[in-house]
């Protein structure tokens, strides 16, 4: 959270103290009543709000929308959200401006209290600051619920009982405009502080989770540039690194096959040797070898083309790499063809035997 957040929060409360006093107008009373009604739909057990079931999620979404609506009706200032300008493109799409934009998934992150995040088999943990801010948001959330419950209880009292309750003690007094304004302002400040820290850390985790793709894009670009050099073999080392990246990506993202990470550049070298031989002698009687070698090179070229495509929009690559359909489909083809290549193309003697067998059929 920016260092100035405490002073910003203090200033907001001072402004609230000037404008937050007085009774609710009829219009304000209507939106507060709507807010209380939506609070009644929340599924809360042992003080924990259900955000995971379909009914719980829907109730939370409705309640958050009602909080925003009530805050606007009470003319409450929005907590500063200029930090969103530094979010990645994906998150700027979710938070397009500096309005509140309360989201259930952000609330869920504060409710769960499970701050270990697993991505591509690797464990990431949120910072102590994010955990503290999550707990602060939960306290502010509970304060909103308590104020609404007290207001509902007060409204259900007979008129004489309400008059007696005013001035009895602070916890029993009638809830007024200042209570709603103060509670909703505090909630918005707590929300913005957690949102900033949580989303910022998610962005950092996602960037780390994409590093295999970033490295592959880098080495593919190197291979492409070095292939234009007049010196033969200049791209060999970069290509070996690229194939290692592909194998690692395959082990992480290819959930449709074995996810092998032991298919090396020697398979590609063997396939290219077969194709050179085919060009030199016409490949008579070795059509099977030519087909297998073409498949190996084609699957490699296809995944290289994918890296060139996503290199310009890396933020759009899902950090859970197995969720990228285009990547997974190319890895499936790559593993299948290279696995066959490892068995038959890499061994000259076995490849000759395969060609002889096919020729006799």
């Amino acid at each position: 959270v920016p260092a100035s957040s405490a002073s910003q929060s203090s200033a907001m409360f001072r402004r609230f103290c000037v404008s937050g006093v007085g009774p609710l107008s009829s219009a304000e009373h209507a939106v507060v009543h709507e807010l209380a009604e939506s609070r009644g739909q929340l599924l809360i057990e042992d003080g924990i709000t259900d955000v995971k079931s379909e009914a719980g999620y829907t109730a939370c979404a409705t309640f958050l929308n009602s909080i925003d609506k009530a805050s606007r009706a009470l003319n409450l200032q929005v907590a500063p959200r200029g930090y969103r300008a530094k979010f990645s493109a994906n998150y700027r799409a979710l938070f397009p401006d500096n309005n509140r934009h309360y989201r259930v998934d952000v609330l869920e992150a504060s409710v769960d209290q499970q701050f270990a995040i697993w991505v591509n088999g690797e464990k990431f943990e949120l910072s102590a600051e994010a955990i503290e801010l999550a707990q602060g948001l939960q306290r502010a959330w509970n304060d909103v619920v308590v104020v609404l419950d007290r207001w509902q209880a007060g409204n259900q009292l007979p008129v004489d009982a309400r008059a007696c309750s005013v001035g009895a003690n602070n916890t029993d007094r009638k809830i007024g405009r200042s209570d709603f304004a103060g509670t909703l302002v505090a909630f918005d400040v707590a929300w913005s502080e957690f949102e900033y820290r949580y989303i910022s850390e998610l962005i950092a985790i996602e960037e780390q989770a994409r590093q295999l793709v970033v490295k592959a894009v880098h080495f593919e670009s190197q291979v492409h540039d070095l292939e234009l050099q007049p010196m033969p073999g200049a791209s060999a080392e970069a290509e070996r690194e690229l194939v290692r990246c592909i194998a690692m990506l395959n082990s992480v993202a290819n959930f449709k096959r074995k996810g092998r990470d032991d298919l090396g550049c020697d398979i590609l070298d063997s396939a290219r040797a077969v194709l050179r031989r085919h060009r030199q002698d016409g490949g008579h009687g070795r059509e099977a070898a030519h087909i297998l070698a073409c498949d190996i090179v084609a699957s490699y070229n296809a995944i290289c083309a994918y890296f060139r495509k996503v290199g310009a929009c890396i933020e759009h690559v899902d950090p859970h790499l197995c969720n990228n359909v285009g990547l997974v489909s190319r890895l499936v083809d790559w593993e299948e063809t290279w696995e066959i290549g490892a068995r038959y193309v890499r061994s000259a003697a076995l490849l000759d035997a395969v060609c002889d067998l096919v020729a006799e059929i």
Side-chain angles (χ1 to χ4, degrees):
V1 177
S4 60
S5 63
S7 61
Q8 290 171 341
S9 301
S10 176
M12 287 185 67
F13 280 114
R14 287 196 299 272
R15 284 192 291 272
F16 145 69
C17 288
V18 174
S19 61
V21 295
L24 292 170
S25 67
S26 58
E28 291 171 343
H29 190 281
V31 294
V32 169
H33 178 74
E34 179 183 329
L35 178 59
E37 289 291 312
S38 64
R39 177 269 174 269
Q41 301 302 311
L42 293 177
L43 304 180
I44 302 177
E45 185 174 349
D46 297 328
I48 300 175
T49 306
D50 173 20
V51 292
K52 294 189 177 297
S53 69
E54 183 177 354
Y57 186 99
T58 301
C60 282
T62 301
F63 186 56
L64 289 171
N65 183 62
S66 296
I67 290 177
D68 183 31
K69 184 176 179 180
S71 297
R72 286 185 280 111
L74 293 170
N75 198 29
L76 303 180
Q77 184 165 340
V78 179
R81 284 169 167 81
Y83 55 79
R84 288 175 175 170
K86 296 182 180 179
F87 282 177
S88 63
N90 292 341
Y91 286 102
R92 289 198 304 274
L94 297 178
F95 303 99
D97 51 44
N98 290 339
N99 291 319
R100 293 181 180 88
H101 295 294
Y102 295 136
R103 293 180 56 87
V104 178
D105 46 7
V106 175
L107 177 68
E108 182 179 358
S110 74
V111 171
D112 279 349
Q113 303 292 304
Q114 299 292 327
F115 298 108
I117 300 174
W118 289 88
V119 187
N120 304 326
E122 187 174 355
K123 182 180 180 181
F124 299 89
E125 292 187 347
L126 297 180
S127 68
E129 182 182 2
I131 295 172
E132 182 179 350
L133 292 172
Q135 294 167 346
L137 176 55
Q138 278 304 293
R139 288 191 295 270
W141 170 269
N142 290 332
D143 288 345
V144 174
V145 171
V146 167
V147 165
L148 288 168
D149 287 348
R150 288 174 57 197
W151 184 74
Q152 282 281 67
N155 282 347
Q156 291 169 1
L157 290 173
V159 174
D160 291 345
R162 288 187 218 168
C164 292
S165 70
V166 177
N169 59 57
N170 190 53
T171 58
D172 292 335
R173 68 174 177 80
K174 184 177 179 181
I175 300 299
R177 188 183 196 281
S178 62
D179 299 285
F180 289 117
T183 303
L184 294 178
V185 166
F187 174 77
D188 190 49
V189 169
W191 183 287
S192 66
E193 289 177 345
F194 175 65
E195 178 191 283
Y196 167 74
R197 178 52 52 193
Y198 175 62
I199 300 299
S200 296
E201 293 190 14
L202 278 187
I203 291 170
I205 289 171
E206 291 175 1
E207 287 178 353
Q208 182 63 30
R210 294 188 187 99
Q211 281 307 298
L212 276 176
V213 176
V214 172
K215 288 180 180 178
V217 168
H218 168 72
F219 285 120
E220 193 286 324
S221 178
Q222 271 197 345
V223 170
H224 181 267
D225 292 342
L226 290 171
E227 282 177 344
L228 301 177
Q229 301 296 322
M231 185 171 61
S235 63
E237 181 56 35
E239 189 161 68
R240 280 192 291 272
E241 291 295 335
L242 173 56
V243 170
R244 275 194 280 268
C245 284
I246 295 172
M248 286 299 298
L249 278 169
N250 192 60
S251 70
V252 168
N254 188 355
F255 65 95
K256 293 189 174 181
R257 295 194 90 250
K258 301 172 185 176
R260 292 183 60 171
D261 64 355
D262 60 341
L263 303 173
C265 205
D266 55 337
I267 300 169
L268 182 61
D269 294 339
S270 299
R272 286 171 173 165
V274 169
L275 295 178
R276 284 195 298 271
R277 179 179 173 183
H278 183 83
R279 287 194 297 270
Q280 291 167 359
D281 59 21
H284 180 69
R286 296 181 59 81
E287 288 79 7
H290 183 256
I291 291 172
L292 294 178
C294 283
D295 287 346
I296 291 168
V297 174
S299 66
Y300 171 72
N301 289 340
I303 202 163
C304 287
Y306 174 84
F307 294 141
R308 287 194 294 274
K309 180 180 179 181
V310 301
C313 54
I314 202 71
E315 286 184 343
H316 296 299
V317 174
D318 193 312
H320 294 271
L321 299 178
C322 62
N323 292 339
N324 296 283
V325 176
L327 174 63
V328 172
S329 65
R330 287 164 176 81
L331 288 172
V332 167
D333 189 39
W334 177 85
E335 184 182 293
E336 182 178 358
T337 57
W338 282 48
E339 195 171 45
I340 295 171
R343 182 177 300 175
Y344 299 110
V345 178
R346 195 162 50 182
S347 169
L350 192 54
L351 184 60
D352 288 341
V354 170
C355 290
D356 292 341
L357 179 61
V358 172
E360 291 177 3
I361 298 175

